[in-house]
Amino acid sequence: MPLKKIFSGFPIIGIACLIIIFNPESKTKRKDFENFLQQEHLATNFFSDEMLKNTPKPTHPDKAAIQNYFMTIDPSEKRVPTERLNKALLETKKIASTNLKAVSADIQWEEVPSNIAGRVRALMYDPNDAAHNYQKVWAGTATGGLWYNNNINLENSPWQIADDLWSSLAVSCITYDPNNTQIFYAGTGEAQTALTIYRESSGVGVGIYKSTNGGQNWELLPSTANFKYITNIVVRDENGNSVIYAGVVSGFYKGANHESMPSDGLYRSTNGGQDWEQVLPNIVGSNVPYAPADVKIGPSGRIFVGSMRNLEDEGGSTILYSDSGKSGSWTIYNEYETIIKNHDVENIPGRVLIAPAPSNPDIVYAALGVGYINSWDQLKRSKGKYILKSTDGGESWQSVNTPTLEDYFWATIAWHCMAIRVNPNNENEVFIAGLDCYKSTNGGASWNKISDWRGSRYQYIHADVHNYAYHPSNPEQILVCTDGGVFMSNNSSASIPDFNERNYSFNCLQFYTCAIHPTASTPFYIGGLQDNGTIYYEGTPINGESGLSGGDGAYCFIDKNNPDVLISSVYHNYYFFFNNSNHLGVNTEYYNNGSGIFINPADYDHNLNILYANAVAFNLTFQNQLVRYTNITSNVGQGATAITITEDVNVPFSHIKVSPHTTNSSTLFVGTESGRLFKIENAHSSPVTTTEIGDVNFPAGNISCVAIANNEEHLLVTFSNYGVSSIWQTYDGGTTWAEKEGNLPDMPIRWAIYHPNDPKIALITTELGVWYTDELDQASPEWIPVNDGLANVRVDMLAIRESDHKVLAATHGRGLATTTFGPVGIEETVEKESDLLLILPNPNHGQFELIFNAPQNGQAELSVYNLQGQEVYHQQIGKIINTYSQQINLTNQAKGNYIVRFKLNNKFYTKKLVIY
């Protein structure tokens, strides 16, 4: 039994009154973890809000990275053990393949269509087109897996996913075997961001996938299981033998080093990836090999490697080349490493990208990122400092001009986004990129800016450019991939080429949050997502005109009583409030002085039109406080107040839930990063009343969600840390709690909702899709994955519409998806099942025996309904006496969940039927 503490909290200008009901339980473990979190928060400095507003960057996912670290860290190990996710994936596949409950749950997801995309790192023209026109293109995404487009030339040619069930959906590179173009290789793991805490790396890789049939099927190469991050893969024809070269590096991800084994380096395989040899020399003055950021083959067959700094900050800004590719054959060019180290400020050697000129083996270009310690936050930053050119095949290098400084530097975040490529037919025509795209037509002597992520003065190409790809036989066509998908030009030789989006159905968007319109069957949703702001969907595919607000979209809401009122947020407590029937245009901003964390927990009281949000910042200012926004539909800027809800929570509040059952005032349930749970009554005014209702057995971890059933006493609480018991339930408002972890693998749980008609049933979101149970009334519920139509993708949030049970899922890598959480429109629910009615067998393939043990004689009829309330079978039986039985054939019906209703003398008896 938890020991409760109740106190009244006043606004921050007032005085808090504390009343102890019981002696608090021993908090040693939780307090130790809280102290650790405090130290981690204070050790991580960030831009001030004024700096954020003035920084030329649409998004600031360094904050999302550190927030996710705090959400998922194993409290015991003080790190994020991402290696456990692969084990969880294997368990997920086993449960899904052996459990028929997934069929009976009848959860089938439909994608919400989108013509805008998320982060794409890799591009490849398919070499297997019979007409050799190279119209099929492959693309590797950061969190959405590997995709292909069968005709990139057509604006409305849809992108399609290669495989939903890969162990890692972070695809960093893809190539093919020139001697057998049916053989493809795809590398995993986002190395580019795994050394600098700017953006959360999309994930540690699982090695290299291989296809032997042109991408139809893929298998993970077992020999690459210890390769944590693959930066690039090339295949070279060596006397008729296809030799693979893979750049393999290590990285820092979610609080821990992830080291590739046996070391970083360039790995060479002569037998299709069965065995590998590391061939790069050791870093000068070190005993470990260079870490390759880029691997390219020149027209003469010479292999070039551009390095990046390793976990020890060694070996960056170096270029290596070899004509044989074997160990002991490499020439090292590290003059710029020395130049950079001797600089007063920009003295951290960084990432090098290589671009050989296909038309001239003597001409090679390179882009160099240089690091520095940022005076604002003391973190290592990086920018594209040098563009180098070699006229002797890489033996010597000279610095050429960089783009003229405009209102910001050309590659402000070079460790994350930087690209360079040379026209196949013109050694003097060079594209480079960082935040935007630039082009030189004179070998780097001067540059034209050709795009602007803000769409001002130059054409729009999304910010953060990662790669270029020329059409193999038509150099007028060039593709560029960005944090907003793929763009294409068909006049690349122009001084300023024209680019157009190629993101039709490329639904690799990374959502954090979502909200759904309250009216049944209304196709209107909004969602906050990484890099692409807060967008809306209203029945036609999401596109570039669907934005409510820019930057990184955070929590968002649609008023249930007045759906014209929309709320979106960017970061911290930076909100936009809309009240417009067109969902566009009229808005009011309120910027609350730097309070809150990045994707800042918040919830909206639809009855009182009050928004509540966490106020505690990353640097732990505004401790113990929430922000309360009133007058949402009128003058919101004057309606924001900070309120103190407790006195001794020294970390951010991690979740806020407004109770739908208290309508004349606001009742909140508020969780913390350290696992404390509070009930806040009278939150709409002052003083508030706070009761701590968490359990002594709650893990010291991040409360990610509170789900409320049909009353405020019945709650489900989830935790998003690795290594903890992540699901807990109470029937009595927190007096007693029971663990409901059941058979769940060890992985973060981010959200939960109860079934509206049956609180035994719930959905939860995980790193591996959505899971279901109908056994919350059991001591150890059985959970099953319900991802038909989804992928093994992280899902951050679920929103349910009460009017028709439509559920909206916010995935972090595969866009938005919907399903119906039935039954809908059936008065007699499964909760009222009758023991007098039997179905044998059940589940079945549509043929079964129905047996009814009649409690009395009388007139009977039989109906079967699907979960949309439609009658799919009806029989007027007539008079029955005692036991009634009948063989029924429903093999013409779809697989799924049905309700059988037997009517006897105006009384109904029901049973759930499962057809699989």
Side-chain angles (χ1 to χ4, degrees), residues 155-167:
E155 183 179 354
N156 293 332
S157 176
W159 288 90
Q160 301 175 60
I161 188 68
D163 195 321
D164 286 327
L165 303 179
W166 283 15
S167 300

Side-chain angles (χ1 to χ4, degrees), residues 888-902:
I888 296 178
N889 188 329
L890 294 179
T891 54
N892 62 330
Q893 297 299 319
K895 297 177 182 179
N897 199 25
Y898 295 82
I899 300 297
V900 176
R901 187 177 72 174
F902 198 94

Side-chain angles (χ1 to χ4, degrees), residues 68-69 80 82 194 200-204 229 251-258 767:
N68 204 52
Y69 164 71
V80 181
T82 54
E200 178 187 333
S201 169
S202 62
V204 177
Y229 299 93
F252 182 84
Y253 176 54
K254 292 187 176 180
N257 289 336
H258 294 270
E767 304 296 272

Side-chain angles (χ1 to χ4, degrees), residues 748-759:
I749 310 301
R750 296 179 180 268
W751 207 263
I753 58 171
Y754 280 109
H755 191 289
N757 289 347
D758 190 346

Side-chain angles (χ1 to χ4, degrees), residues 36 69 72-84 253-258 722:
F36 166 78
Y69 164 71
T72 58
I73 186 172
D74 185 310
S76 299
E77 296 187 5
K78 305 297 190 294
R79 68 182 186 94
V80 181
T82 54
E83 69 277 3
R84 298 182 197 168
Y253 176 54
K254 292 187 176 180
N257 289 336
H258 294 270
Y722 283 96

Side-chain angles (χ1 to χ4, degrees), residues 92-109 763 770-774 782-788 819 843 867 895-897 912 914-916:
T92 300
K93 289 182 176 180
K94 181 178 179 180
I95 293 171
S97 65
T98 59
N99 199 311
L100 287 176
K101 273 193 177 181
V103 177
S104 65
D106 201 39
I107 302 296
Q108 299 183 18
W109 297 94
L763 297 177
V770 178
W771 290 59
Y772 163 97
T773 189
D774 58 5
E782 182 179 29
W783 294 91
I784 56 169
V786 283
N787 293 322
D788 187 4
T819 191
L867 292 189
K895 297 177 182 179
N897 199 25
K912 180 167 65 176
V914 177
I915 298 176
Y916 70 96

Side-chain angles (χ1 to χ4, degrees), residues 375-395:
S375 60
W376 291 347
D377 57 14
Q378 297 303 301
L379 290 177
K380 294 184 181 71
R381 302 281 160 173
S382 179
K383 64 182 182 180
K385 180 68 178 291
Y386 299 102
I387 300 173
L388 304 183
K389 182 178 181 179
S390 174
T391 58
D392 53 13
E395 294 181 19

Side-chain angles (χ1 to χ4, degrees), residues 536-615:
Y536 65 90
Y537 170 81
E538 55 181 356
T540 58
I542 298 166
N543 57 48
E545 304 299 319
S546 302
L548 289 174
S549 54
D552 278 289
Y555 277 72
C556 56
F557 306 95
I558 303 174
D559 192 298
K560 292 180 180 179
N561 301 311
N562 181 5
D564 283 346
V565 175
L566 310 177
I567 302 171
S568 69
S569 57
V570 183
Y571 50 79
H572 289 204
N573 279 309
Y574 194 171
Y575 288 93
F576 296 85
F577 301 87
F578 299 79
N579 190 359
N580 186 298
S581 59
N582 294 320
H583 311 293
L584 295 169
V586 179
N587 70 81
T588 302
E589 298 181 17
Y590 182 74
Y591 194 75
N592 192 52
N593 197 29
S595 67
I597 56 180
F598 189 64
I599 306 302
N600 194 46
D603 203 9
Y604 180 60
D605 188 323
H606 299 265
N607 296 307
L608 301 182
N609 302 118
I610 301 175
L611 177 69
Y612 297 92
N614 165 65

